Amino acid sequence: MSYPSWQPGEGPKDAQARPGQGGVPSWRGQGGQSPVWYGQGGPPGLSQPAYADGSHSMLASHADRERAVDVLRAGFGEGRMEQAEFEKRVARAYAARTVGELALLVADLPQGPVPLPAAVGAVPRTFLPLPVPKTNEKAIGSAICGGLCLVTFGLTGLPAVILGHSARSEIRHRGEGGDGLALTGLVIGWLATASWTLVVTLLLIAALTTG
């Protein structure tokens, strides 16, 4: 595959001459500007494109050259030019004096994301994020009652156990979240209930023995 190459001051091979300019070819550049590539019929000594605003006659900076080389590297990586042509263009880019010369070297290469030919379809459900399940309210209540056992000396242990068992049953049937909260409330609730049961049993035994 071969691509057109031209010296600074020349336009693309397929450029057409503007009427009334003595065979001076013109080419539509980026940004909607129309540079005039002066050939033999142009002003003597002018070896770069002449823009109406004079922007492409501006001296190129190191950053401008690096940007042009990046475009060339991308085009070479995509297989748009051969190794020899790539090296030749890179050498010209580093030797370029003006922005117009750099524009010539990358004029036939894409300088940004190429639009897709067709609209992308809907994302398959396999790759969609899973919906976050709702947290069971009874599981929250069980965890709260279990935490209050430390303040109420275990009086909320029995409600924590009841709410925890009910919450775990609903979670299994509805697919809701909060199983960890329910389990926490159950463990603390059972410990508080067992502690109160042990205390009451010891009090009864003490009462019977002393009576």
Side-chain angles (χ1 to χ4, degrees), residues 9-31:
E10 298 177 353
K13 303 292 185 180
D14 57 350
Q16 298 179 353
R18 288 186 176 181
Q21 291 186 349
V24 179
S26 66
W27 173 72
R28 175 71 60 179
Q30 291 189 1

Side-chain angles (χ1 to χ4, degrees), residues 16-188:
Q16 298 179 353
R18 288 186 176 181
Q21 291 186 349
V24 179
S26 66
W27 173 72
R28 175 71 60 179
Q30 291 189 1
Q33 298 176 340
S34 297
V36 178
W37 310 106
Y38 290 106
Q40 295 179 356
L46 185 60
S47 61
Q48 61 188 27
Y51 280 76
D53 58 358
S55 60
H56 277 50
S57 298
M58 181 172 54
L59 293 176
S61 65
H62 293 305
D64 295 330
R65 296 185 185 92
E66 291 298 334
R67 280 192 291 268
V69 171
D70 288 340
V71 174
L72 293 174
R73 288 197 185 101
F76 175 69
E78 295 171 354
R80 299 180 185 273
M81 67 183 79
E82 300 295 334
Q83 178 76 25
E85 182 180 0
F86 167 70
E87 294 176 354
K88 185 177 181 181
R89 291 198 188 195
V90 170
R92 289 185 180 181
Y94 283 120
R97 288 283 297 161
T98 64
V99 178
E101 296 176 27
L102 295 174
L104 282 172
L105 296 172
V106 298
D108 55 349
L109 295 174
Q111 301 181 36
V114 179
L116 296 175
V120 180
V123 180
R125 295 184 60 85
T126 307
F127 301 102
L128 291 176
L130 295 177
V132 180
K134 175 186 175 182
T135 303
N136 188 275
E137 297 177 355
K138 292 183 179 179
I140 298 175
S142 176
I144 293 175
C145 290
L148 291 176
C149 288
L150 302 175
V151 181
T152 61
F153 300 101
L155 295 179
T156 57
L158 187 59
V161 171
I162 297 173
L163 289 174
H165 281 294
S166 178
R168 298 197 73 188
S169 177
E170 292 181 359
I171 288 172
R172 285 193 296 268
H173 288 85
R174 301 178 184 177
E176 296 177 336
D179 187 69
L181 295 174
L183 187 60
T184 301
L186 274 174
V187 171
I188 299 177

